[in-house]
Amino acid sequence: MSIKMRDQLQANILDDETIDFAHYWQVFKRYAGRIILLAVLFTILVALIVMKMTPIYSATASLLIESQPANVTSIEEVYKSDTSRKDYMQTQYEIIQSRQVAARAVDELDLSNDPVFMPQSSGGLTIVKDVKKWVKSKIPFLPKQEKVELTETQKAEKRRQAAINKLMNSISVTLVNNTQVIEVTAVSDSADLAARIANTMGDVYVENYLQAKVDMTSKATSFLTESMEGLKDKLEEAERKLTAFYEDNQLVNLSGGVVGLAAEELEEYSDQLLKAQTTLKQNRTIYEQTQRNGADYSALARLPEVLNHANIQSVRRQLSEAQSRVSELSKVYGPKHPKMVAAQAEYDSVQDTLETQIRDLISSITTQYRSSQDKVANLQEEVANAKAEYRKLSGLENKRRALQREVDINQQLYNSMFTRLKETSEIGGFQSANARILDPAVAPNNPSAPNRTLLIGAAFVVSFGFGVFLAFVLEALNSGVRSVDDVEKKLGQRMLGLIPIIPQKRKENMELRAFFDSKYHQFSEAVRTLRTSLSLMNLEKQNQAILVTSSVPKEGKSTVSTNLAFALGQLDKTILIDADLRRPSIGKRFNVPAYQPGLSNLTMKTHSLDECLVHDEQSGIDLICAGSIPSNPQELLAGEGFNALITYLKKHYKYVVVDTAPTQAVSDAMVVSKACDSVIYVVRADSTSEKMIQNGLGRFLQVGHRVDGVVLNQVDLRRSDVSERYGGFYDQYGYNANEKAN
C-alpha cells in the first residue's frame, strides 16, 4: 500500500469518527415543523388537563423533639428512652408516620365522614363496574364470587381504614438535618383541612407519647406490686430459717468474737505444745545419755549437761581446791599426819558431795523427762479439743452467715422495690412530653400543586425533546437516499447532479416547459449542471446515446430525460426517444396524438423515420414517441432493428436521450443499455429504499454495462442537508434563467 493511499485511508477513518453536527442540524431543520407541531399540540393537551386538575394545598407543622425529657425521680429508668442514641430521632420519625398515630388523627378529626377528605364516589365508576360485570357474565368459566353484604359497623370500619390509608399517603415527614426538628406536611384539597391535619398529627404524636408513658407507669406499678408480694414471702421465710438456726444450736450471737476466741485459744495451745515438744526432745536426749552410762559417775560427770550445771561446777571447784591442799600437804606431811588426814577427809567429803549432786541431777533429769512427756500428752489432747471446737463454731458461723446473707439480700430487694413502688405511685399523675409544637401549621393561601407553569413548560420541553429524538430515530430508520454522501457511501456511485422539487398542487404534473420558465431558474440551472457533468464525462465521444432509467415508477425519470434533452438541445442537435414501450409517457407530455407512430413502428419497419419524428418548435429538439404498444416489447428492443436505429440516430444527432422502463419492473433498461453510451440512474430523494436501488444498479453490472452516475431527483432544498452545497448557489452569485450559460 502506498503512502498516499494509507494517508487517504486514515483521513477517511478520522472523517467517519468525526461528529457531523451540520448533518444533525439539517435533520432537525427537515423535521422542525413536525417537531414544533407535536410540541405545541402536546403542550395544549397538557395545559387543558392541568387546568382541570383540582388544586392541592399543603401545610407544614414543626415539632421540636426534646433530647432530654424532664425527670422527677429515678422512676424514669422504668420507661426512659435513650435520647442520646443516634437512632432516637429516626425512631421518632417513624413513630409519627405510624399507623397508630394516623388512626388516632382520623378518629379525632372524624376524617372518615369528612366529605372533603373522603368524597362520595362519582357515578363514573358505575360504568366501569357495569362493563366488568358484563365481561364476567360473558366468560362462564371464571369462578363466581358470592357478594357478601356488610353491616353498617363493618362499612364504617372499612371506610375508617380507607381514611387511615389515605391519610398516611397524604402525610410527609421530614427530619431537618443537624437539628431536633421534625416537619409534618399534610396535603389536601382544602387549605384549612391541610392545616388541621398537620397540627392534629403533631398533637396526636405528643399525646401518644404521654399515653405510652402512663401505660408504662401502670404496668410498672402492677409489676412492682406483684414482685413485692413475692419478695415479702421470701424475706419472711429467710428470717424464720435464721431464728430456727439460733434456737436449734442454742446460740446467742456468733458474730461477737466467739469464733475469734476459739481461734486464739487454739493458737495458744498450739504454741505451748510446740514448746513442750521442744523441751521433751532436749530432755529425751539427756535422759537417753544417762541411761546409756548407768552407775558410772565418772562418765556421767563428763556429760555436757552435768558439766555445765552450776551446782556441779561449784562442787567441782571445791573438789579441785581440796585436791590441791592434799597434794601440798603430802609434800610436807606423812599420810597419817593429822593435817594430812584432815585434808584427805575433806577431799573425800567433797568427792561424796559431787557424786550426790550428780546422782540428784540425774534423778532430776529423769523426773523432768517424765514431766515433759506428760505435759506434751496433755497439750496434744487440749489442741485436739480446741480444733474440734473451732471447727464446730466455724461451721455454725458459715451457716449463720449464709442464712443472714439471704435475709439481707431479700431485705434489700424488698426495700428497693418498696421505694420504687412509692416513686411510681407518686409519679403516676405527672406527665412530661418529649416533644412540643414549635411552629403550628397555617392554612396556605396558594395551592402547592399542580404547578401549572412548570407542568406546561415541562410538557413543551419534554415533547419537543421527544420530537427531536423521534426525528433522529426516523432519520436512522430511513433507508432512502437524500444527499451526496448517501449516493457516494450507500450506493457507491458518482453524483451527476440533483434536481430540486418544484412545488405544485396534488395530482398535477409539473409543467412540461418549466425549464424555459424564468420563475423556475433554480430548476433550470440544476438541469444545466447535470448536462455539464454528463458532457465532461464523455469529452472523447463525438456523439452520445444517453439512457435514463430508475428503480421504480414515479421517480421522475421521464421528467429528467425530457429536461435533459431540452438542456442538450441548447448546445447541439438532440433527439428524445421514449423506449418505455409498456407505459409510455413522453407523447402525452408533448400532447402527441396516440395514433402517432413511434419507436415500435420504426423497429418493426412499418413506418419510416420521417413519419415517426416529431419536432418541438420551442425547445428545438426532435422526439420519437413509443408508438403502438407491442405485445413483446423486450424482444423488440433486443432486436437488431433497435440497435441499428440508435446507430443511425447517433450519426445525425449529437445527443440521443433514451427514456426506458424502471429496472425493478422489467429488464428493458438492461437490453437498451447495450446500444447506449451512457447510463443515468434517477433516484427520487428520500423515497426509494437503498436496497432497491442497489438491486437496480447491480443488474447493469450483471450485463457488463457501467452506470455513469446518479441523478438525485425531487430534492427539497429547504429541508435537505445538500441545500448549503447546492441550493441557492446560482442566486448567490446572481445567476438566473435569463442569463446565458457559458
Side-chain angles (χ1 to χ4, degrees):
M1 181 183 292
S2 64
I3 298 176
K4 182 177 180 181
M5 293 178 63
R6 185 169 62 251
D7 294 341
Q8 184 177 2
L9 179 60
Q10 293 178 355
N12 292 335
I13 293 174
L14 293 175
D15 183 66
D16 292 340
E17 294 179 353
T18 303
I19 299 176
D20 191 356
F21 290 103
H23 171 69
Y24 294 142
W25 172 247
Q26 292 300 329
V27 172
F28 172 75
K29 287 194 340 182
R30 187 180 303 116
Y31 292 94
R34 282 171 280 184
I35 293 173
I36 295 174
L37 179 62
L38 173 64
V40 170
L41 292 178
F42 184 77
T43 304
I44 293 174
L45 177 61
V46 171
L48 294 176
I49 296 174
V50 167
M51 293 303 176
K52 292 184 179 180
M53 293 175 65
T54 303
I56 302 298
Y57 297 88
S58 62
T60 302
S62 299
L63 293 176
L64 176 61
I65 308 298
E66 301 290 349
S67 60
Q68 295 180 350
N71 297 327
V72 178
T73 61
S74 61
I75 188 58
E76 78 278 1
E77 297 176 0
V78 177
Y79 53 80
K80 177 182 176 182
S81 299
D82 186 6
T83 58
S84 63
R85 293 171 55 187
K86 295 181 179 180
D87 58 351
Y88 176 75
M89 293 299 295
Q90 185 65 29
T91 302
Q92 305 309 309
Y93 172 84
E94 295 296 335
I95 291 174
I96 296 176
Q97 298 184 104
S98 65
R99 190 174 186 84
Q100 180 185 8
V101 175
R104 293 188 62 179
V106 168
D107 295 338
E108 186 168 336
L109 294 174
D110 195 19
L111 294 179
S112 58
N113 298 319
D114 192 317
V116 177
F117 189 79
M118 294 290 290
Q120 297 293 332
S121 59
S122 60
L125 295 177
T126 305
I127 301 175
V128 178
K129 292 180 179 179
D130 293 340
V131 172
K132 291 174 64 177
K133 184 177 180 181
W134 179 82
V135 171
K136 289 182 178 181
S137 64
K138 297 299 181 182
I139 307 177
F141 55 83
L142 289 179
K144 303 295 182 181
Q145 296 181 353
E146 295 183 1
K147 187 176 181 180
V148 180
E149 294 293 338
L150 300 178
T151 62
E152 293 298 328
T153 304
Q154 292 174 334
K155 291 180 180 179
E157 180 61 23
K158 186 176 180 180
R159 188 173 181 82
R160 178 177 176 272
Q161 295 299 326
I164 294 173
N165 294 333
K166 184 175 181 180
L167 178 61
M168 293 179 67
N169 293 329
S170 62
I171 289 294
S172 62
V173 181
T174 305
L175 179 61
V176 182
N177 292 333
N178 302 322
T179 67
Q180 297 173 199
V181 177
I182 292 180
E183 294 181 345
V184 181
T185 303
V187 296
S188 176
D189 299 347
S190 171
D192 295 334
L193 182 59
R196 285 193 293 121
I197 290 176
N199 291 327
T200 303
M201 288 293 293
D203 295 337
V204 166
Y205 163 72
V206 176
E207 294 173 0
N208 184 71
Y209 177 82
L210 295 175
Q211 185 62 42
K213 290 178 63 177
V214 171
D215 295 341
M216 188 62 69
T217 303
S218 300
K219 291 181 180 179
T221 303
S222 301
F223 169 75
L224 293 174
T225 302
E226 295 175 358
S227 300
M228 282 285 295
E229 296 177 358
L231 288 175
K232 184 178 181 182
D233 295 339
K234 290 182 179 179
L235 178 60
E236 292 176 352
E237 179 65 23
E239 291 175 343
R240 282 196 299 271
K241 289 181 180 180
L242 183 60
T243 303
F245 170 76
Y246 278 108
E247 292 178 354
D248 294 341
N249 294 278
Q250 300 298 316
L251 298 174
V252 178
N253 187 6
L254 290 175
S255 62
V258 175
V259 178
L261 291 174
E264 291 177 359
E265 184 179 0
L266 176 61
E267 184 179 0
E268 185 177 352
Y269 280 138
S270 298
D271 292 341
Q272 292 177 5
L273 177 61
L274 182 61
K275 292 178 181 178
Q277 288 175 342
T278 302
T279 303
L280 178 61
K281 289 180 181 179
Q282 295 174 354
N283 293 335
R284 180 184 290 114
T285 302
I286 298 172
Y287 175 75
E288 290 177 351
Q289 290 177 354
T290 58
Q291 291 298 318
R292 283 196 300 270
N293 294 319
D296 187 0
Y297 289 103
S298 60
L300 292 174
R302 290 193 295 270
L303 294 174
E305 289 77 9
V306 176
L307 289 174
N308 294 329
H309 197 274
N311 292 333
I312 299 301
Q313 288 179 353
S314 177
V315 173
R316 288 180 69 85
R317 282 193 300 270
Q318 292 176 5
L319 180 63
S320 176
E321 292 175 355
Q323 187 177 3
S324 296
R325 282 192 300 272
V326 170
S327 177
E328 290 177 356
L329 290 176
S330 65
K331 294 177 179 179
V332 178
Y333 303 101
K336 294 186 185 257
H337 189 275
K339 289 185 178 181
M340 187 68 182
V341 173
Q344 187 65 41
E346 183 181 1
Y347 175 78
D348 293 337
S349 175
V350 173
Q351 183 70 31
D352 293 338
T353 300
L354 178 60
E355 292 178 356
T356 302
Q357 288 290 335
I358 290 173
R359 188 169 47 251
D360 292 340
L361 180 60
I362 295 303
S363 177
S364 174
I365 289 173
T366 302
T367 302
Q368 189 175 3
Y369 172 69
R370 301 297 180 191
S371 176
S372 296
Q373 283 183 330
D374 294 339
K375 186 177 181 180
V376 168
N378 292 332
L379 286 175
Q380 286 178 342
E381 184 178 357
E382 291 294 335
V383 169
N385 294 333
K387 286 182 177 180
E389 185 66 19
Y390 178 76
R391 285 194 296 269
K392 179 182 178 182
L393 291 176
S394 296
L396 292 174
E397 175 64 13
N398 291 334
K399 189 173 182 181
R400 185 201 67 80
R401 287 180 179 177
L403 294 173
Q404 186 64 47
R405 185 165 54 250
E406 186 176 359
V407 171
D408 294 342
I409 291 174
N410 289 325
Q411 185 66 48
Q412 291 176 2
L413 290 174
Y414 181 80
N415 293 338
S416 177
M417 286 292 181
F418 184 77
T419 303
R420 188 63 55 82
L421 180 60
K422 289 296 184 182
E423 292 175 352
T424 305
S425 300
E426 292 176 2
I427 203 172
F430 178 79
Q431 296 182 354
S432 172
N434 72 325
R436 59 186 176 88
I437 301 294
L438 180 64
D439 190 8
V442 180
N445 296 324
N446 299 318
S448 59
N451 189 336
R452 293 185 172 90
T453 304
L454 179 62
L455 289 177
I456 294 174
F460 179 80
V461 172
V462 171
S463 59
F464 188 85
F466 178 75
V468 173
F469 170 76
L470 192 60
F472 284 109
V473 170
L474 294 175
E475 179 71 13
L477 295 177
N478 185 11
S479 61
V481 177
R482 62 161 58 98
S483 66
V484 178
D485 292 337
D486 289 345
V487 173
E488 295 176 352
K489 293 180 180 180
K490 291 182 179 182
L491 304 181
Q493 296 293 326
R494 183 185 293 105
M495 180 72 173
L496 293 178
L498 62 87
I499 308 298
I501 189 173
I502 296 179
Q504 56 190 9
K505 295 181 180 180
R506 287 187 177 184
K507 297 182 180 181
E508 288 187 3
N509 294 325
M510 188 183 69
E511 296 182 13
L512 175 63
R513 306 185 190 281
F515 178 80
F516 303 102
D517 195 337
S518 59
K519 66 180 180 179
Y520 300 126
H521 62 278
Q522 195 174 42
F523 173 80
S524 304
E525 293 301 331
V527 176
R528 292 189 180 94
T529 302
L530 171 60
R531 178 191 65 187
T532 303
S533 300
L534 188 61
S535 299
L536 293 175
M537 290 181 60
N538 298 280
L539 290 175
E540 72 282 358
K541 296 181 181 180
Q542 296 296 325
N543 298 336
Q544 303 176 29
I546 304 168
L547 182 145
V548 180
T549 187
S550 64
S551 299
V552 293
K554 304 297 183 181
E555 289 197 79
K557 63 176 181 58
S558 298
T559 301
V560 172
S561 59
T562 302
N563 287 276
L564 178 60
F566 289 159
L568 292 173
Q570 292 183 331
L571 298 179
D572 208 332
K573 192 174 182 182
T574 303
I575 185 172
L576 174 63
I577 301 175
D578 188 357
D580 188 354
L581 301 182
R582 302 175 188 271
R583 298 179 61 182
S585 60
I586 299 297
K588 294 179 181 179
R589 290 174 178 269
F590 285 88
N591 295 321
V592 176
Y595 55 82
Q596 172 67 33
L599 179 61
S600 60
N601 304 101
L602 278 174
T603 305
M604 292 184 294
K605 299 180 180 181
T606 58
H607 293 76
S608 63
L609 178 61
D610 294 335
E611 293 176 334
C612 297
L613 280 177
V614 177
H615 182 72
D616 183 50
E617 294 293 340
Q618 184 174 353
S619 62
I621 67 171
D622 294 332
L623 61 106
I624 298 177
C625 299
S628 302
I629 297 178
S631 59
N632 53 347
Q634 189 171 5
E635 289 78 3
L636 193 63
L637 294 173
E640 293 296 332
F642 178 77
N643 292 333
L645 175 63
I646 297 300
T647 302
Y648 175 79
L649 293 177
K650 286 170 61 175
K651 293 179 180 179
H652 295 81
Y653 291 90
K654 176 67 175 177
Y655 302 103
V656 178
V657 180
V658 182
D659 181 28
T660 63
T663 59
Q664 294 299 312
V666 290
S667 301
D668 296 358
M670 275 63 73
V671 174
V672 174
S673 65
K674 295 179 180 180
C676 297
D677 302 307
S678 299
V679 175
I680 298 176
Y681 206 91
V682 178
V683 175
R684 183 176 179 179
D686 204 13
S687 176
T688 311
S689 67
E690 173 190 350
K691 183 177 181 181
M692 188 174 294
I693 300 172
Q694 291 284 12
N695 290 337
L697 294 172
R699 300 186 72 177
F700 283 103
L701 295 177
Q702 291 175 1
V703 298
H705 201 296
R706 69 179 181 87
V707 177
D708 289 351
V710 173
V711 175
L712 198 59
N713 190 30
Q714 300 186 26
V715 179
D716 189 349
L717 296 179
R718 295 173 301 176
R719 296 165 53 189
S720 176
D721 55 357
V722 300
S723 60
E724 295 181 359
R725 193 180 306 180
Y726 292 95
F729 176 80
Y730 303 104
D731 294 341
Q732 179 180 356
Y733 290 95
Y735 283 84
N736 54 55
N738 295 326
E739 297 179 1
K740 298 285 185 180
N742 293 333

